[in-house]
Amino acid sequence: MISKYRGQFNSSFTEQKYKSFLKILESGLTSIPFRVAETPVFIPSDLQKKLIDAGEEIIKLIKQPDFKALTKDAIPSNWNVPNENEHPHFLTFDFGICKDANGLLTPKLIEMQGFPSLYGFQPELGRVYKESYELPAALTPFFNGLDEQKYVSLLKRVIIGDYAPQEVALMDIDAPNQKTAIDFLITQKYLGIKILSLTDIFKEGNALFYKEEGKKIRLKRIYNRLIFDEVEDKTALFEQCFDPRSEIDVEWITHPNWFYRISKYTMPFLKSEFVPETHFLDTLTEIPSDLENYVLKPLFSFAGMGVIIDVTKADIAEIKDPKNWILQRKVVYEPIVQSPDGGVKLEIRLMYLWADGQEPQLCINLARLSRGKMIGVRYNKDFDWVGGTIGLMEK
């Protein structure tokens, strides 16, 4: 997209450089089970500004005094966790990169979450891309004048706060075997916190503990990476550890309810040039005549599961719980990233940190390249120049 960098990168690219890059990225950590793309993305300043503006419009809605009332039905009753705080600590907004009526690049919102993303992996990814491919020092993956040191300092403030690192743990259902384990390990390297599986934690009274070298250690904060979808049919596990929905004396970073409040559920409330027309299915008075231009999405699903891309009236008629679905105008991705053999589609995730007592701050990004119908592993099998990457911008 910044043509001078793209031309330089493509002309000097070799498979050997790519293999060396991957080897350095995994070195001393773990193998990466998801595909990392051959190339970073070079984000031009005009698109960068539009992305920032789009994010700010969404944050205005989230900061409205009535936002919790607006999203009260977003949280499934059986997964409503007590002691919710006033705002999420993480915001991630995914934008498909398209062209507008004037042929200019513009972002269109695809998904949003009040839940952590790869906040450890992305700065490492940006650094290794720059070093492995000898990219200019003037390029950065960070926003708002941040560098790696300032970013890690803010990450510590959000996740650890005033606690000792051993009182804080990153938690997932089976942390060492998650596809995002490399992100967990880098986060631990940055912050010095524990990585715990759900069953590593036990409850005494309302307090939570884990054991290290036979010693019982009180857990004050949980950096929560557990998505309840993954334990919906495994709640028997809670008998071995603790039920996240119970009254417990722990701080959630971020509280699980925000995963639902800031999600596909929020999109029908957004009216912006950067947000595709979106309706709760149960509020539709009539089905659009150009249904081929829409996509049908379940509210409560993860990683694109259940999405119906080529919607028919019969699909809509078969939906038994329309209040839990949205109908959204399709976003037409433009294949704007030039690979050696054609254009590749792009999605950019803006990643914010929201420290207690401060404003949300746009920090870094995650990008994904695709040649398939949708962004995601299952739509990009057997392709090259696809997968996870990062956007680099001129300082």
Side-chain angles (χ1 to χ4, degrees):
M1 292 190 292
I2 303 180
S3 57
K4 64 177 179 180
Y5 297 126
R6 174 51 57 208
Q8 290 166 4
F9 184 95
N10 287 17
S11 63
S12 64
F13 175 82
T14 66
E15 280 295 325
Q16 188 53 48
K17 282 185 181 179
Y18 176 55
K19 288 176 183 175
S20 174
F21 153 75
L22 290 176
K23 188 175 180 181
I24 294 167
L25 190 59
E26 293 178 337
S27 178
L29 295 164
T30 186
S31 59
I32 301 172
F34 52 88
R35 194 174 199 283
V36 179
E38 284 81 346
T39 178
V41 175
F42 304 108
I43 302 176
S45 58
D46 53 347
L47 178 59
Q48 179 186 346
K49 184 181 184 306
K50 287 179 183 176
L51 284 163
I52 292 168
D53 290 346
E56 287 178 353
E57 287 189 20
I58 298 167
I59 287 171
K60 280 181 186 175
L61 173 72
I62 294 167
K63 292 179 70 178
Q64 284 180 192
D66 65 343
F67 184 74
K68 281 196 174 184
L70 203 63
T71 57
K72 64 181 174 60
D73 295 329
I75 307 164
S77 57
N78 59 322
W79 290 109
N80 198 330
V81 175
N83 304 315
E84 183 181 325
N85 65 332
E86 288 309 304
H87 65 76
H89 296 93
F90 307 93
L91 293 170
T92 65
F93 307 146
D94 292 350
F95 294 94
I97 307 304
C98 314
K99 281 190 175 178
D100 63 17
N102 299 314
L104 301 175
L105 297 180
T106 192
K108 291 286 186 180
L109 185 67
I110 303 297
E111 176 66 285
M112 54 196 296
Q113 286 186 342
F115 190 80
S117 183
L118 304 182
Y119 282 87
F121 181 68
Q122 288 307 110
E124 188 84 354
L125 179 62
R127 182 183 61 78
V128 177
Y129 267 128
K130 288 180 67 177
E131 290 178 1
S132 298
Y133 291 106
E134 299 180 334
L135 299 176
L139 292 171
T140 180
F142 297 104
F143 294 88
N144 288 315
L146 292 173
D147 56 22
E148 187 171 340
Q149 184 178 359
K150 292 175 182 175
Y151 172 80
V152 172
S153 177
L154 179 57
L155 196 65
K156 283 182 178 176
R157 192 179 316 148
V158 170
I159 295 175
I160 298 178
D162 295 327
Y163 295 101
Q166 66 266 25
E167 295 176 314
V168 183
L170 183 158
M171 181 193 75
D172 207 333
I173 182 172
D174 180 15
N177 296 309
Q178 289 292 314
K179 287 185 177 179
T180 49
I182 192 166
D183 175 72
F184 299 174
L185 292 169
I186 296 168
T187 302
Q188 183 179 55
K189 182 178 74 171
Y190 284 152
L191 308 183
I193 62 175
K194 292 293 295 182
I195 299 172
L196 299 177
S197 296
L198 182 65
T199 51
D200 292 329
I201 301 169
F202 58 96
K203 182 180 174 183
E204 292 184 2
N206 284 346
L208 297 182
F209 298 86
Y210 67 94
K211 283 189 175 178
E212 187 168 48
E213 297 177 354
K215 183 181 176 183
K216 188 169 70 172
I217 298 174
R218 174 82 182 273
L219 196 56
K220 302 289 185 65
R221 268 190 173 189
I222 292 176
Y223 174 31
N224 182 44
R225 303 299 293 267
L226 175 66
I227 294 170
F228 286 163
D229 284 15
E230 296 179 1
V231 291
E232 193 158 15
D233 59 350
K234 300 183 181 74
T235 53
L237 278 175
F238 298 160
E239 296 172 14
Q240 304 171 36
C241 46
F242 73 102
D243 190 331
R245 300 164 295 184
S246 63
E247 282 286 348
I248 46 177
D249 186 10
V250 73
E251 292 182 22
W252 292 99
I253 307 295
T254 192
H255 194 283
N257 290 357
W258 289 106
F259 175 81
Y260 296 106
R261 289 191 184 277
I262 299 171
S263 64
K264 290 187 285 288
Y265 188 94
T266 321
M267 293 186 68
F269 302 111
L270 289 162
K271 309 301 176 189
S272 164
E273 64 176 296
F274 303 117
V275 180
E277 173 194 345
T278 308
H279 304 275
F280 291 112
L281 193 57
D282 67 332
T283 66
L284 273 183
T285 53
E286 60 179 352
I287 296 173
S289 57
D290 59 337
L291 200 53
E292 68 276 8
N293 293 320
Y294 288 80
V295 60
L296 193 60
K297 297 181 178 181
L299 288 177
F300 306 114
S301 72
F302 187 63
M305 297 298 291
V307 173
I308 301 173
I309 301 172
D310 301 310
V311 190
T312 65
K313 288 184 177 180
D315 292 324
I316 293 175
E318 287 176 9
I319 300 297
K320 301 292 190 291
D321 54 344
K323 69 176 183 177
N324 292 325
W325 290 73
I326 55 171
L327 188 69
Q328 184 179 86
R329 182 166 282 276
K330 282 181 180 174
V331 168
V332 181
Y333 291 75
E334 190 71 20
I336 53 166
V337 176
Q338 191 62 40
S339 79
D341 62 348
V344 182
K345 292 178 279 191
L346 170 64
E347 192 168 286
I348 295 176
R349 172 176 295 173
L350 299 184
M351 297 166 58
Y352 298 76
L353 290 170
W354 195 344
D356 291 331
Q358 297 189 2
E359 293 295 307
Q361 185 168 349
L362 176 57
C363 295
I364 198 166
N365 72 88
L366 180 155
R368 291 187 287 184
L369 297 176
S370 174
R371 297 178 190 255
K373 266 191 172 184
M374 286 179 66
I375 302 286
V377 174
R378 67 179 65 88
Y379 299 97
N380 283 281
K381 289 179 180 177
D382 304 320
F383 291 132
D384 61 3
W385 287 64
V386 297
T389 181
I390 196 164
L392 299 177
M393 303 161 283
E394 292 182 315
K395 294 178 184 177

